[in-house]
């Protein structure tokens, strides 16, 4: 499926677009909504992690992992979405990819926490684990609480640590196949 067909960056852009559309990302809203831009960045981070559709290194920014090259690419896609819709119609995602993306989407659907907030928390958590491998789980969570204190406070009634560990387990199961 996707990871078997990677040939050059244009293919990555097309495949990333198809994945993001499958995740219910709205490219027309992307142009005017910071909320949607964060959503597309975070889902792109996960697509890279799971399918290997990368655009380079992320850095930790205000709303979690951020990639300026990816941002430019997403703006370009949003401005030319009609071309990508045609590609998606001509070459739809395969069933295995669609099922994996549905499982990803389900990880971030909750009645208790906003999807984008949960994406921001999880991708920041994952980024910290990736780039601070010597940190213990407790150190990572402490750093997450420091970086995302506004979200931790907003959802103080939830067990964020438990939610993130459960999502991490599900994501790693997807990667393992």
């Amino acid at each position: 499926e996707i990871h078997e067909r990677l040939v050059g960056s244009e293919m990555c852009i097309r495949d990333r677009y198809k994945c993001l559309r499958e995740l219910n990302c709205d490219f027309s809203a992307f142009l005017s909504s910071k909320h949607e831009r964060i959503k597309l960045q975070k889902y792109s981070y996960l697509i890279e992690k799971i399918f290997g559709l990368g655009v380079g290194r992320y850095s930790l920014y205000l709303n979690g992992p951020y990639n300026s090259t990816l941002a430019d690419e997403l703006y370009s896609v949003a401005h030319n979405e009609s071309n990508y819709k045609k590609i998606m119609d001509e070459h739809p995602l395969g069933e295995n990819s669609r099922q994996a993306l549905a499982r990803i989407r389900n990880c971030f659907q909750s009645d208790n926490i906003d999807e984008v907030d949960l994406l921001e928390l999880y991708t920041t958590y994952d980024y910290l684990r990736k780039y601070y491998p010597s940190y213990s789980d407790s150190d990572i969570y402490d750093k997450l609480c420091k970086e995302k204190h506004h979200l931790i406070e907003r959802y103080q009634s939830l067990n964020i640590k438990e939610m993130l560990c459960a999502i991490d387990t599900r994501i790693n199961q997807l990667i393992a196949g």
Side-chain angles (χ1 to χ4, degrees):
E1 299 247 349
I2 290 175
H3 51 284
E4 295 170 358
R5 295 192 332 251
L6 293 180
V7 184
S9 64
E10 186 60 31
M11 183 62 78
C12 289
I13 293 167
R14 291 173 186 166
D15 287 337
R16 186 176 302 104
Y17 172 79
K18 290 189 273 187
C19 290
L20 290 169
R21 287 297 306 256
E22 190 69 29
L23 291 165
N24 295 327
C25 293
D26 184 348
F27 280 86
S28 59
F30 173 86
L31 295 172
S32 60
S33 168
K34 180 180 180 183
H35 193 262
E36 198 67 20
R37 286 191 297 275
I38 294 169
K39 180 179 174 180
L40 269 76
Q41 275 272 344
K42 302 317 163 224
Y43 273 133
S44 292
Y45 176 93
L46 292 170
I47 289 166
E48 178 173 335
K49 178 181 174 83
I50 295 167
F51 294 113
L53 296 173
V55 292
R57 188 175 166 109
Y58 286 77
S59 57
L60 199 54
Y61 195 61
L62 185 62
N63 297 105
Y66 177 79
N67 182 312
S68 61
T69 303
L70 173 64
D72 293 343
E73 177 185 293
L74 293 173
Y75 273 106
S76 177
V77 170
H79 286 294
N80 300 294
E81 188 175 14
S82 61
N83 296 333
Y84 290 92
K85 283 182 178 178
K86 289 177 190 173
I87 293 166
M88 189 168 177
D89 291 341
E90 294 168 6
H91 305 283
L93 285 172
E95 188 57 33
N96 290 340
S97 294
R98 292 180 72 226
Q99 287 176 4
L101 292 163
R103 288 193 298 274
I104 293 167
R105 190 174 54 246
N106 288 337
C107 288
F108 297 96
Q109 303 298 308
S110 172
D111 293 334
N112 302 319
I113 185 170
D114 179 76
E115 174 185 22
V116 172
D117 290 345
L118 188 53
L119 280 161
E120 183 177 334
L121 284 166
Y122 176 74
T123 56
T124 302
Y125 170 81
D126 185 75
Y127 178 93
L128 293 171
R129 290 186 63 192
K130 180 177 181 179
Y131 291 103
Y132 295 88
S134 65
Y135 279 26
S136 69
D137 286 342
S138 182
D139 293 336
I140 294 292
Y141 190 71
D142 289 346
K143 190 158 178 64
L144 176 73
C145 289
K146 186 176 179 180
E147 295 286 331
K148 300 296 166 194
H149 64 278
H150 62 290
L151 293 176
I152 300 295
E153 288 175 17
R154 184 180 304 157
Y155 299 107
Q156 61 184 320
S157 65
L158 302 176
N159 187 337
I160 297 295
K161 189 174 187 176
E162 187 177 293
M163 289 176 80
L164 296 176
C165 288
I167 291 170
D168 197 52
T169 298
R170 291 167 72 187
I171 296 293
N172 287 328
Q173 288 171 345
L174 280 172
I175 294 169

